[in-house]
């Protein structure tokens, strides 16, 4: 069994708690669905936000999901590069899996599709 990384990102319209939590859940649920993930297979989740998102910790939304209370979560600020995508939440999920790299589905939603158009589904 290998540890694979699953990338994902989503943008939010405003720096407010509820939209940030909703976007976090939308992104995580899509990653879980596309990759057939169960929480016990997760090694850890690293979450970053751009510096213009400071209304809440995205991990709060994940902690409220059934079965996710023991998954190690870490939030951090994204590197503030001039001209980079604003109001963006990014995930790096470390998954214990038998899947190959090519079988992993990375998920980019909303305005974050511009980050990896090669991986974004329409």
């Amino acid at each position: 069994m290998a540890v694979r990384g699953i990338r994902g990102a989503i943008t939010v319209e405003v720096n407010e708690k509820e939209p940030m939590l909703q976007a976090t859940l939308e992104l995580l649920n899509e990653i879980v669905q596309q990759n057939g993930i169960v929480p016990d297979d997760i090694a850890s989740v690293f979450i970053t936000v751009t510096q213009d998102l400071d209304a809440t910790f995205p991990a709060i939304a994940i902690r409220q999901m059934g079965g996710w209370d023991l998954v190690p979560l870490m939030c951090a600020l994204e590197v503030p590069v001039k001209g980079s995508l604003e109001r963006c939440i990014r995930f790096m999920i470390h998954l214990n899996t038998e899947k190959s790299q090519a079988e992993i589905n990375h998920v980019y939603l909303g305005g974050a599709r511009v980050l990896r158009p090669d991986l974004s589904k329409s």
Side-chain angles (χ1 to χ4, degrees):
M1 182 170 296
V3 177
R4 301 282 184 212
I6 302 175
R7 290 294 316 268
I10 190 168
T11 51
V12 294
E13 294 297 317
V14 293
N15 179 29
E16 294 175 4
K17 181 179 180 178
E18 287 309 313
M20 287 179 64
L21 296 178
Q22 290 172 1
T24 299
L25 291 177
E26 180 182 352
L27 179 59
L28 183 61
N29 285 328
E30 189 64 27
I31 291 171
V32 165
Q33 179 189 27
Q34 286 193 29
N35 290 284
I37 295 173
V38 295
D40 279 348
D41 292 340
I42 303 286
S44 64
V45 180
F46 187 61
I47 307 158
T48 64
V49 296
T50 49
Q51 62 183 358
D52 51 5
L53 293 179
D54 61 4
T56 192
F57 294 102
I60 290 171
I62 298 171
R63 286 272 176 251
Q64 295 172 2
M65 294 176 60
W68 287 79
D69 55 320
L70 298 178
V71 174
L73 306 173
M74 174 72 71
C75 293
L77 283 176
E78 190 69 32
V79 176
V81 175
K82 290 180 184 178
S84 63
L85 186 62
E86 297 178 344
R87 294 182 309 278
C88 187
I89 300 169
R90 291 175 173 91
F91 286 3
M92 172 67 78
I93 298 175
H94 301 104
L95 177 70
N96 296 306
T97 183
E98 297 293 336
K99 292 182 179 183
S100 69
Q101 289 282 27
E103 294 174 297
I104 297 295
N105 293 309
H106 305 278
V107 177
Y108 293 84
L109 302 174
R113 286 184 176 97
V114 302
L115 295 171
R116 289 299 303 266
D118 58 317
L119 299 177
S120 300
K121 296 180 179 178
S122 0

